[in-house]
């Protein structure tokens, strides 16, 4: 099992450009999450999907959109990137009945 | 709203010394707390959870509801313990399982 995978690993954008971060899991988990990690701020929840077909806002959703394409995949889209979105983005998934979250390796995004 | 506070951004100890990483929380319900660890160039992974009352890699953490704390302790630190540590609280029940993280503590264990 690959667990949780994310693409790309690194990305540099110019202000105003758009991009989609991809996340997939092969553990048959229902719930999936997107976090951003910033120095001194810890990880903050951007969006989550409790199950296929549903998505909800987290703590910092502004400037982002998500799509739960199917049970395996949960993508995060930046429509018009801003320097404040420079961060490391983590995707995670969770067992249906458990509370442990499994994390992907992260995507390091820089917006110039 | 729930909040998790880790007061120390950086913590340095020598190998063999005891280490304690502090975590305080605020939550109106019955909390479920975790410690996650991120070693250099590795992904974030669960270290331990309070409901399991287990010891992982020599680390323990006790939930103190009176002091609203969940400090992580190890009696004898090892160099391989150097990592970023996050305390986290879960909310939303098992349906949503949203984690609220603290700011993180970078632990450095010197030889």
């Amino acid at each position: 099992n690959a667990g949780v995978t994310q693409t790309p690993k690194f990305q540099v954008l110019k202000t105003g450009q758009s991009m989609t971060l991809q996340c997939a899991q092969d553990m048959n988990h229902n719930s999936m999450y997107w976090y951003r990690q910033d120095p001194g701020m810890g990880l903050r929840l951007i969006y989550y999907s409790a199950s296929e077909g549903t998505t909800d806002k987290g703590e910092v959703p502004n400037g982002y959109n998500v799509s739960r394409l199917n049970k395996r995949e949960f993508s995060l889209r930046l429509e018009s990137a801003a320097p404040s979105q420079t961060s490391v983005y983590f995707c995670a998934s969770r067992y249906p009945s458990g509370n442990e979250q499994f994390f992907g390796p992260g995507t390091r995004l820089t917006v110039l | 709203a729930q909040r998790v506070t880790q007061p120390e951004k950086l913590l340095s100890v020598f190998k063999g010394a005891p280490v304690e990483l502090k975590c305080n929380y605020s939550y109106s319900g019955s909390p479920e707390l975790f410690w996650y660890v991120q070693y250099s160039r590795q992904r974030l992974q669960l270290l331990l959870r309070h409901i399991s009352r287990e010891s992982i890699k020599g680390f323990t953490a006790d939930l103190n509801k009176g002091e609203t704390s969940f400090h992580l302790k190890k009696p004898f630190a090892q160099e391989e313990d150097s990592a970023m540590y996050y305390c986290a609280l879960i909310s939303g029940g098992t349906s949503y399982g949203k984690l609220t993280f603290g700011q993180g503590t970078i632990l450095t264990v010197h030889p």
Side-chain angles (χ1 to χ4, degrees):
Chain A
N1 285 356
V4 181
T5 57
Q6 292 182 237
T7 56
K9 290 187 178 179
F10 302 95
Q11 184 71 49
V12 178
L13 294 177
K14 294 182 180 178
T15 298
Q17 288 185 316
S18 62
M19 79 161 294
T20 300
L21 282 66
Q22 307 287 353
C23 173
Q25 52 90 11
D26 61 2
M27 297 177 282
N28 201 34
H29 289 173
N30 284 352
S31 302
M32 298 185 73
Y33 309 82
W34 275 106
Y35 296 90
R36 58 178 290 174
Q37 181 187 41
D38 302 291
M41 305 290 287
L43 279 79
R44 292 179 292 170
L45 183 64
I46 305 171
Y47 269 93
Y48 65 101
S49 171
S51 61
E52 184 179 356
T54 68
T55 61
D56 286 286
K57 295 178 180 180
E59 182 184 354
V60 288
N62 291 347
Y64 305 95
N65 285 301
V66 290
S67 296
R68 184 74 184 267
L69 305 170
N70 47 56
K71 192 169 186 178
R72 290 188 64 250
E73 298 172 290
F74 188 38
S75 62
L76 179 72
R77 182 161 178 83
L78 287 72
E79 289 292 350
S80 179
S84 60
Q85 294 178 305
T86 293
S87 187
V88 181
Y89 292 85
F90 288 98
C91 178
S93 68
R94 184 177 71 99
Y95 284 123
S97 58
N99 282 329
E100 178 181 357
Q101 291 189 16
F102 294 82
F103 286 80
T107 294
R108 188 173 294 274
L109 174 67
T110 302
V111 182
L112 303 175
Chain B
Q2 61 271 13
R3 175 175 289 185
V4 178
T5 302
Q6 293 177 248
E8 305 137 329
K9 284 187 179 180
L10 302 170
L11 186 61
S12 290
V13 300
F14 286 100
K15 177 182 174 181
V19 62
E20 180 179 52
L21 289 81
K22 291 184 168 52
C23 172
N24 290 91
Y25 67 91
S26 63
Y27 185 58
S28 57
S30 182
E32 185 171 353
L33 287 144
F34 304 82
W35 277 98
Y36 279 82
V37 61
Q38 187 177 27
Y39 300 103
S40 179
R41 298 189 182 88
Q42 294 187 29
R43 61 186 70 193
L44 202 66
Q45 58 187 285
L46 179 68
L47 180 61
L48 53 79
R49 69 195 84 187
H50 89 270
I51 58 172
S52 301
R53 300 188 64 81
E54 58 199 344
S55 174
I56 302 293
K57 299 184 178 182
F59 284 99
T60 59
D62 290 319
L63 178 62
N64 186 323
K65 291 186 178 181
E67 295 183 359
T68 60
S69 68
F70 188 55
H71 302 328
L72 183 69
K73 301 176 183 179
K74 185 169 183 177
F76 307 103
Q78 303 299 315
E79 290 178 68
E80 55 265 31
D81 296 328
S82 295
M84 170 74 90
Y85 291 81
Y86 288 103
C87 182
L89 179 152
I90 201 160
S91 63
T94 54
S95 297
Y96 300 102
K98 295 181 290 181
L99 284 172
T100 298
F101 285 87
Q103 300 92 327
T105 298
I106 299 174
L107 172 65
T108 302
V109 181
H110 299 284

